[in-house]
Amino acid sequence: MSHTLGIRQAQKQKTRQAFLDAALALLEEQSLSSLGLREVTRAVGVAPTAFYRHFRSTADLGVALVDEALGSLHPMVRTTVATAGEERITRAVQLIAGHVSAHPAHVRFIARERHGGVQPVREAIRAQLARFAEEVKTELAKDPEAAGWSDDDLLMLAHLYVDQMLITASLFLETLESAESAESAEPSEAERRRVVQVATRQLRLISLGRQHWLDQES
């Protein structure tokens, strides 16, 4: 009996993943608010009623996509921010570049739906980003430079880093989309270096501002 239940559970998970994959592919060309349930079920090859065994609505499906796109990044972000100085910046840019290259559809989905028309999805993205900011704040508080900083100021700084990571992801995504438009397999090395340089300089600027924040406050 347990073996049969295990097979059923595996099949259920496989079908659920098929819905997520189909929706993500369809969302390459449209927003979630315009995505129809029948479009998704047609792409998966199942009856519309089968959808409700896995999701309550397309908004619920979108929330699951947010978790898939951002949920696995938390350990990597914590590890990256746990480093210090220039290594922290270098590793952050490398992490973002690698993630965009490996998961462009997820990055595009988050970029579009962060301010999109589906409220539960916007809230899910906001909650994930707030969680990132709290995790970054925890690591920043361990830095010697954090001495004298209030929790509110550290959280503000953490949000600056998270926002900058999103901007960096958008920069890498733009180069990828430009390469696709030019029917190139991937961005040129020169273009990639340019984005790395811009992203690195922007993160350095935040770090430089951090060094003088308490001077400004006093």
Side-chain angles (χ1 to χ4, degrees), residues 15-203:
T15 303
R16 185 179 189 277
Q17 188 60 51
F19 279 123
L20 292 170
D21 293 343
L24 191 63
L26 290 166
L27 290 169
E28 290 274 35
E29 304 296 335
Q30 61 184 307
S31 65
L32 183 65
S33 59
S34 65
L35 181 67
L37 182 151
R38 289 183 179 276
E39 283 184 88
V40 181
T41 54
R42 191 182 305 118
V44 176
V46 298
T49 53
F51 179 89
Y52 294 105
R53 299 190 193 116
H54 303 272
F55 305 100
R56 296 185 298 273
S57 62
T58 53
D60 190 36
L61 172 65
V63 170
L65 279 172
V66 171
D67 185 61
E68 182 177 73
L70 297 177
S72 64
L73 285 174
H74 290 280
M76 288 183 284
V77 169
R78 286 196 299 270
T79 300
T80 297
V81 182
T83 58
E86 190 68 17
E87 183 183 1
R88 174 181 287 160
I89 293 173
T90 300
R91 290 185 63 174
V93 174
Q94 289 174 343
L95 167 66
I96 297 164
H99 186 71
V100 172
S101 179
H103 306 286
H106 279 128
V107 176
R108 196 174 290 115
F109 167 73
I110 295 298
R112 179 185 292 126
E113 300 301 329
R114 185 184 180 190
H115 304 292
V118 181
Q119 183 177 352
V121 174
R122 290 200 312 272
E123 291 175 351
I125 295 172
R126 190 180 303 119
Q128 287 280 0
L129 297 181
R131 182 181 162 194
F132 280 125
E134 286 290 346
E135 292 165 348
V136 170
K137 186 195 87 168
T138 297
E139 295 302 328
L140 293 177
K142 299 175 184 177
D143 293 347
E145 298 91 336
W149 281 63
S150 68
D151 280 350
D152 286 345
D153 283 356
L154 278 173
L155 185 59
M156 178 178 65
L157 178 64
H159 275 291
L160 285 175
Y161 275 111
V162 172
D163 287 344
Q164 190 57 49
M165 287 179 180
L166 290 172
I167 291 170
T168 300
S170 295
L171 289 173
F172 280 113
L173 186 61
E174 286 173 10
T175 65
L176 196 63
E177 291 174 340
S178 295
E180 290 172 354
S181 297
E183 299 183 351
S184 175
E186 57 185 26
S188 68
E189 185 59 30
E191 183 62 15
R192 187 181 182 281
R193 281 199 305 269
R194 183 191 68 80
V195 173
V196 168
Q197 184 181 48
V198 169
T200 300
R201 285 167 61 87
Q202 289 172 336
L203 285 169

